[in-house]
């Protein structure tokens, strides 16, 4: 039973964080807890999320750093503003039903400035905390976004295919390369799906409902409002990313370098968009 859950958690976390994950059940008195970490850092050299059942109906998740995390903390301190913004947006996407504790920091501007950093979350269920459904829900709802945020801060590289052709950057607009990087980042994809679901913004196709287990093909599109040409503003992952099915995504990028807007693609379509 618990073995099956470990495999599920590992898969969810690897897809969401784009990093390799280690999972183990740790004995803790009468009740066991579950520990989750990045495989290449192990439990002492990086962040560890620990899931513990509390009382009869609750879970507590505590994210802390292992005692030899100096190198990784230095890497986190060097994270770019955009990575920090995405990490905060991922944590902010955790449901309001979950009580978060930033241990003296605030949800809007928390930072990892030392190995004493701690992030806690508590959630209450109707069912027992050792129930499969509760454990899966806590993993998906809390641990995945928390660890994805850490992966973004640490800077796990996303393996990027070489661009098909060099795109000329044009003034005022976000460079094509940067847009592609944002669209292909698994953490951006995770955030986009958590916020907007897996339904295509243009044609409303929901690939997982149509293709079942082969339907995890929704893509992330980075909106570039025309206004950005005149008034560039900081990138906001929560606002600027929308889910599109592969067809609509391909279609929206047929105009280059500035892709069509959602409204423009809808007006080109021969089928109604809503
Ligand atoms: Zn579509
Ligand atoms: Zn796109």
């Amino acid at each position: 039973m618990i073995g099956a859950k470990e495999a599920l958690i590992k898969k969810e976390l690897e897809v969401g964080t784009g990093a390799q994950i280690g999972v183990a059940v740790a004995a803790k008195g009468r009740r066991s807890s579950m520990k989750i970490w990045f495989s290449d850092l192990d439990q002492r050299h990086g962040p560890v999320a620990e899931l513990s059942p509390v009382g009869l109906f609750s879970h507590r998740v505590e994210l802390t750093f292992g005692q030899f995390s100096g190198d990784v903390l230095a890497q986190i301190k060097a994270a770019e503003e955009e990575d920090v913004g995405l990490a905060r947006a991922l944590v902010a996407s955790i449901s309001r039903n979950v009580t978060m504790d930033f241990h003296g920091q605030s949800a809007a501007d928390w930072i990892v400035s030392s190995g004493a950093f701690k992030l806690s979350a508590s959630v209450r269920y109707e069912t027992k905390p050792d129930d499969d459904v509760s454990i899966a829900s806590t993993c998906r709802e809390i641990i995945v976004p928390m660890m994805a945020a850490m992966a973004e801060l640490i800077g796990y590289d996303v393996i990027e295919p070489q661009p098909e052709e060099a795109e000329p950057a044009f003034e005022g607009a976000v460079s094509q390369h940067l847009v592609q990087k944002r669209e292909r980042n698994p953490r951006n994809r995770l955030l986009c799906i958590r916020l907007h679901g897996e339904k295509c913004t243009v044609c409303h196709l929901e690939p997982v409902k149509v293709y079942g287990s082969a339907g995890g093909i929704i893509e992330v599109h980075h909106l570039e409002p025309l206004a950005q040409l005149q008034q560039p503003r900081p990138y906001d992952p929560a606002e600027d990313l929308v889910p599109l099915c592969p067809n609509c995504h391909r279609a929206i990028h047929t105009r280059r370098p500035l892709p069509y807007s959602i409204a423009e693609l809808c007006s080109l379509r021969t089928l109604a968009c809503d």
Side-chain angles (χ1 to χ4, degrees):
M1 280 276 273
I2 204 87
K5 269 175 279 190
E6 279 182 46
L8 171 88
I9 293 163
K10 192 171 151 68
K11 186 174 167 238
E12 289 262 347
L13 275 142
E14 289 186 343
V15 169
T17 62
Q20 286 215 299
I21 295 292
V23 181
V25 176
K28 200 181 182 184
R30 274 173 52 234
R31 276 191 159 155
S32 56
S33 67
M34 202 177 294
K35 289 193 172 188
I36 294 158
W37 64 90
F38 294 120
S39 302
D40 65 333
L41 295 173
D42 75 46
Q43 297 185 50
R44 294 175 307 158
H45 294 86
V48 178
E50 183 170 11
L51 159 62
S52 321
V54 176
L56 286 176
F57 295 104
S58 299
H59 277 170
R60 182 176 171 81
V61 177
E62 203 156 79
L63 185 131
T64 53
F65 280 81
Q67 62 184 129
F68 304 114
S69 297
D71 289 350
V72 100
L73 289 163
Q75 241 169 291
I76 288 178
K77 274 182 206 163
E80 285 175 25
E81 199 55 42
E82 182 168 321
D83 304 329
V84 174
L86 177 55
R88 287 179 185 148
L90 280 160
V91 171
S93 76
I94 295 174
S95 158
R96 280 160 207 263
N97 299 330
V98 176
T99 308
M100 300 295 295
D101 184 353
F102 293 86
H103 298 272
Q105 300 201 65
S106 83
D109 59 7
W110 59 269
I111 51 161
V112 180
S113 55
S114 79
F117 177 83
K118 204 195 251 188
L119 186 56
S120 314
S122 310
V123 62
R124 198 180 150 84
Y125 290 105
E126 303 288 302
T127 52
K128 288 183 184 163
D130 53 359
D131 187 275
D132 273 23
V133 178
S134 328
I135 290 181
S137 166
T138 295
C139 287
R140 195 170 278 202
E141 181 52 44
I142 302 172
I143 305 174
V144 168
M146 271 188 183
M147 290 298 275
M150 293 303 131
E152 191 61 25
L153 291 176
I154 294 167
Y156 276 100
D157 279 338
V158 180
I159 300 150
E160 280 187 83
Q162 290 301 310
E164 285 168 28
E165 57 198 72
E167 296 282 356
F170 62 108
E171 210 161 333
V174 187
S175 86
Q176 286 299 296
H177 179 72
L178 184 57
V179 167
Q180 276 187 356
K181 202 176 137 197
R182 287 170 179 169
E183 291 193 343
R184 288 174 183 162
N185 179 337
R187 273 91 67 179
N188 272 325
R189 182 173 192 278
L190 176 73
L191 179 68
C192 181
I193 288 173
R194 285 177 58 79
L195 294 174
H196 308 295
E198 293 195 50
K199 196 184 263 187
C200 175
T201 309
V202 171
C203 72
H204 308 306
L205 181 86
E206 200 168 348
V208 278
K209 292 217 173 132
V210 179
Y211 305 109
S213 61
I217 54 173
I218 201 82
E219 296 179 359
V220 164
H221 176 61
H222 181 284
L223 295 171
E224 283 180 79
L226 275 167
Q228 192 145 316
L229 290 171
Q230 281 86 42
Q231 295 172 303
R233 58 172 178 77
Y235 166 65
D236 176 355
E239 286 288 318
D240 297 348
L241 303 175
V242 291
L244 289 181
C245 74
N247 273 355
C248 292
H249 199 195
R250 193 87 185 242
I252 214 163
H253 280 285
T254 54
R255 187 174 75 186
R256 295 175 182 198
L258 188 71
Y260 290 116
S261 68
I262 299 290
E264 282 169 330
L265 189 64
C266 282
S267 72
L268 289 173
R269 260 168 60 96
T270 53
L271 296 170
C273 269
D274 43 24

